[in-house]
Structures are given as structure tokens and as C-alpha cells.
Amino acid sequence: MNPLSVSLRQALLQVLNVLVIISSALVMWKGLSMWTNTESPIVVVLTTSMEPAFGRGDLLFLAKPTTEFQVGDIVVYALEGREIPIVHRVLNVHTLLDGDVKQYLLTKGDNNGTPDHALYGEHQPGKLWITTDEVVGKVYGYAPYVGYLTIAMADFPQLKVVLLGALGLFALLTRE
Amino acid sequence: MHSLWSRVNTVFGFATSVLLALAAAIALTSTWELLTPTHVPAVGPAGTMDPYGNVLAPLALSLNVSSATLIRGSRAAQYKYQTYFHAPAVFVALQFDATADLRALFQWNTKQVYAVVTVAYQAPGFPTNKITVWDTIITNVDDARLMVVNAENKYAITDVQYRDAARFNGLPITARLEWCVHTYVGATRCAAMPDELAAKFTLPANVGERVSYRGDRGGAGANGA
């Protein structure tokens, strides 16, 4: 047999392996997303506004509840014009009888002095509540520090390149 | 092959699996029973001593509202309740006492307990409304004997239809003590005091009026009034 064709076959197999790993990770993430009914079922805390409950780098497990939101729930919400979603606790709940909007919520960070009106009004002046459709999910579970790597990668973009490069090379060059 | 890389890979993978299994075991074995409302006793255990050796009275799970006032909206009221982004026509001012022995919520995986006093009411167009009146974060079991005496609402009590000055007139209110347990790893969930312990009262009939519930409480505040 021609040795060149064997090595070509080997290389193609390696590439296929990498693709399988990537696609299975994607399938798992999307499956989790469907099961929890939220676009991002796992998020990393970036700020200290929920100390001492959640600190920077902590991992939160989210889901969209089928029931209404309650006072005391910790929710992740995304505001129009603001890139990074916010993790804060629900302070007030007003449930509408009917209509498109189901609930009006007021939130506050445990470590903040006042409710989030200033955040709501940042890009939408006069906005006093968030509505249910702005809520990405409710926090059901918690694991400390696990997400610190993503914060490190955001703070030092070179780290991301190095890590991804190393992983890719490792996957491609390893031979069984 | 037993190259250095494959050894590193195996060790790292095994360490991750062990950590994950450990975290899952902690999460599964510790949280669930904490989260039932009955886990906070109606009357706390007797025989607790303070640092000087004095025996302390057992703490009941209780919430009593002693007075309610409808305050007309003003700059002063806005500053008092830090309502800087809108001008509600009416604010509610409450005075209340609360006690609870939350020590049973503290077990080896408990990081903190978030205790909160809420008021719930129905209003036209909005069948359920619930507002946070007061809250505290307890991170240490030594601070878990909750005793709140003659406190005022820490946050603004205003309705979603905040321009309507008559919104709160004569409105029946249910106030509850609730709590959320946060773990070092695992689930985060909340519970509330049973309904028969909740403080039920009616707000004053007009803006500017104050109602005291002490007179008819027989030592029990708005409870059972």
C-alpha cells in the first residue's frame, strides 16, 4: 500500500474526529437549551453586584420557569442596547390579568443600594420595570469559580488564542 | 501509547470527573429538605444561651404589622424611599416586628439565607402583586435568630399604576416573612411562612391617614385582626 495514502487517510480521520467533538458539544448545548427553555442555560457571573450570594467567575444554571416569577427569585435579564445580561434578584412582582406582557418585575442586586431603575433607564429613558420577555432565565443551581476561565479569557484575549490553538493542535496531532 | 501528553490528559480528566462527582454528591445530599417551609420551626428550640450563659427565650416564627400610613407623594417621600426615577402619587409606610429562628436552615452546604418581608395584594387589572418591604442577608448561623423590632419598610411600597393616588385606599394586604437558601454548590430555592402566620391587615381608607393595629391585636399585631 502507498504510505502517502495511509497518512492522508489518517489526517482526514483526525479532522473528522475534531469535527465530531465540536458538533457533539454543540448538540449538547442546544439540547440543554431546549430542555431548560432558555437560550443560555449556563452563565458566568461577571460582577460583584450579587455578593455574597454570587461572585465573579461563579457558574449559574438557568431555566425558564413554567410558573410565574416570585419575589426572591434571582433572574438573568437582557436589556435592549446593553450587551451583557444582568443577574439580579426580583424585588417586586406585578402580574397582569391578560395581554402580551405577563409580569412587570423590579430587580435589585443584593450588593447594590437601590433597585435597578438606573440600569433600565440607561438605554430606555423612563423604563421602570422589566417584563417577562426580557428575562433570559431564573437561577436554579450554582457552582463556585468554575467560570473563572472565561473571565480570564475575556480579560486576556491572547489566552483564548493560545488555549484554543493548543487544544486544536492537540486534537489534530495526537495519534492513537 | 504512554506519552507525557496522554498521561497529563488522563490525570486532568480523572480529576475533573472526581470534582464533578463530588460537587454533585454534595448538591444532592444537602439541599432538598432545607427548602420546605416546615423546616423553619413555628417555635424555635428552647435552651439557647447567649455568650454570657443567659438562657434565651425561644423565637416564634412571627410577623406583626403595627401600623400603616398612606403618604402623599412628595420630594421628601421620594428621597426617603430613594425613588429617583418616577414620582408616585402615594407611598405606603409600614411598621412591623418579625421574629424567626432560621438556624435550622444552616447546614454544612448553606452559604447564606436571604430573609425578606413581602406584602401581597390584588389591584384592578393586576390580580397578584408582591412587593419587597425589607430584607436581610444572613451568612452566619450565629446571626440566624432573626429579631426585628419596630422596623420600617426599607424599600418603597408603590404600585405599578403609580400615578393613581387612590390605588391603595382601604386595600387588604397580606404580609409574609419569606426566605431563600443559597448553597455553596447546588440548588437555590425559596419558601415562605405558612399562611396562618401571615399578617393580614387593611390599609387606611384615605391618603394621609395612619392606622395603628396595636389596639385590636391583643398582643398579636395585625395577625388575626
Side-chain angles (χ1 to χ4, degrees):
Chain A
M1 206 189 268
N2 179 0
L4 192 71
S5 77
V6 171
S7 74
L8 180 67
R9 170 177 291 211
Q10 187 106 36
L12 285 174
L13 256 176
Q14 296 278 79
V15 170
L16 202 63
N17 262 337
V18 173
L19 289 180
V20 165
I21 291 170
I22 292 173
S23 57
S24 55
L26 190 71
V27 165
M28 275 166 71
W29 176 254
K30 288 294 174 192
L32 195 63
S33 188
M34 280 181 72
W35 182 49
T36 55
N37 193 22
T38 170
E39 56 196 274
S40 32
I42 299 174
V43 297
V44 176
V45 180
L46 296 178
T47 68
T48 56
S49 67
M50 280 301 286
E51 292 271 11
F54 308 143
R56 257 166 82 78
D58 293 350
L59 213 62
L60 305 178
F61 299 91
L62 310 183
K64 266 266 182 65
T66 46
T67 52
E68 286 165 352
F69 291 102
Q70 296 293 326
V71 169
D73 287 352
I74 297 170
V75 296
V76 175
Y77 63 92
L79 293 172
E80 213 182 301
R82 193 188 166 92
E83 213 175 303
I84 299 163
I86 299 159
V87 190
H88 278 175
R89 196 187 292 275
V90 174
L91 209 63
N92 296 352
V93 167
H94 303 279
T95 308
L96 207 63
L97 197 57
D98 49 22
D100 293 338
V101 177
K102 261 193 84 185
Q103 285 184 298
Y104 288 98
L105 308 174
L106 177 65
T107 54
K108 174 183 168 290
D110 279 2
N111 202 19
N112 291 353
T114 51
D116 290 343
H117 289 136
L119 284 172
Y120 304 161
E122 199 176 23
H123 295 283
Q124 298 165 77
K127 184 181 175 66
L128 294 170
W129 290 276
I130 54 168
T131 50
T132 4
D133 51 308
E134 285 165 309
V135 177
V136 177
K138 172 183 158 182
V139 177
Y140 281 95
Y142 167 83
Y145 306 120
V146 190
Y148 230 107
L149 192 65
T150 62
I151 289 188
M153 285 199 286
D155 288 353
F156 307 100
Q158 303 94 324
L159 187 66
K160 196 193 288 189
V161 178
V162 169
L163 267 178
L164 283 179
L167 273 178
L169 276 180
F170 186 65
L172 277 175
L173 296 181
T174 316
R175 297 263 159 103
E176 286 299 317
Chain B
M1 274 218 253
H2 296 285
S3 69
L4 179 65
W5 271 118
S6 74
R7 280 165 201 269
V8 168
N9 193 17
T10 311
V11 168
F12 186 74
F14 185 64
T16 314
S17 317
V18 167
L19 268 179
L20 267 178
L22 204 61
I26 292 171
L28 287 176
T29 53
S30 57
T31 50
W32 292 104
E33 61 156 323
L34 293 183
L35 304 167
T36 51
T38 49
H39 208 75
V40 171
V43 178
T48 308
M49 281 192 266
D50 72 4
Y52 307 103
N54 303 311
V55 177
L56 300 169
L59 279 184
L61 178 57
S62 77
L63 174 66
N64 298 312
V65 175
S66 50
S67 86
T69 313
L70 291 186
I71 301 175
R72 197 179 303 282
S74 66
R75 276 294 164 87
Q78 278 176 259
Y79 281 127
K80 176 169 184 188
Y81 294 114
Q82 300 184 301
T83 310
Y84 303 130
F85 291 85
H86 61 315
V90 58
F91 292 85
V92 181
L94 291 182
Q95 281 180 297
F96 65 92
D97 309 312
T99 58
D101 199 326
L102 299 176
R103 285 178 299 175
L105 298 176
F106 279 85
Q107 294 187 356
W108 59 300
N109 192 22
T110 305
K111 179 163 63 177
Q112 69 166 52
V113 171
Y114 175 78
V116 52
V117 174
T118 62
V119 291
Y121 60 90
Q122 301 183 348
F126 290 84
T128 59
N129 301 269
K130 200 181 250 191
I131 291 177
T132 296
V133 170
W134 180 91
D135 63 1
T136 189
I137 293 169
I138 304 164
T139 54
N140 191 325
V141 67
D142 293 333
D143 302 327
R145 276 169 55 92
L146 190 73
M147 276 176 285
V148 184
V149 180
N150 209 15
E152 291 179 29
N153 51 311
K154 187 169 149 186
Y155 301 111
I157 306 176
T158 57
D159 190 57
V160 69
Q161 306 278 21
Y162 60 91
R163 290 191 180 88
D164 182 359
R167 193 75 174 165
F168 284 128
N169 290 359
L171 201 67
I173 302 272
T174 306
R176 288 186 191 84
L177 179 65
E178 309 188 24
W179 52 87
C180 298
V181 177
H182 295 263
T183 51
Y184 285 108
V185 56
T188 293
R189 281 176 66 201
C190 305
M193 72 185 347
D195 245 6
E196 62 267 23
L197 293 180
K200 299 185 175 71
F201 59 98
T202 306
L203 288 177
N206 294 299
V207 177
E209 289 177 4
R210 178 179 186 274
V211 174
S212 170
Y213 305 104
R214 284 197 191 280
D216 53 4
R217 71 173 180 166
N223 263 355

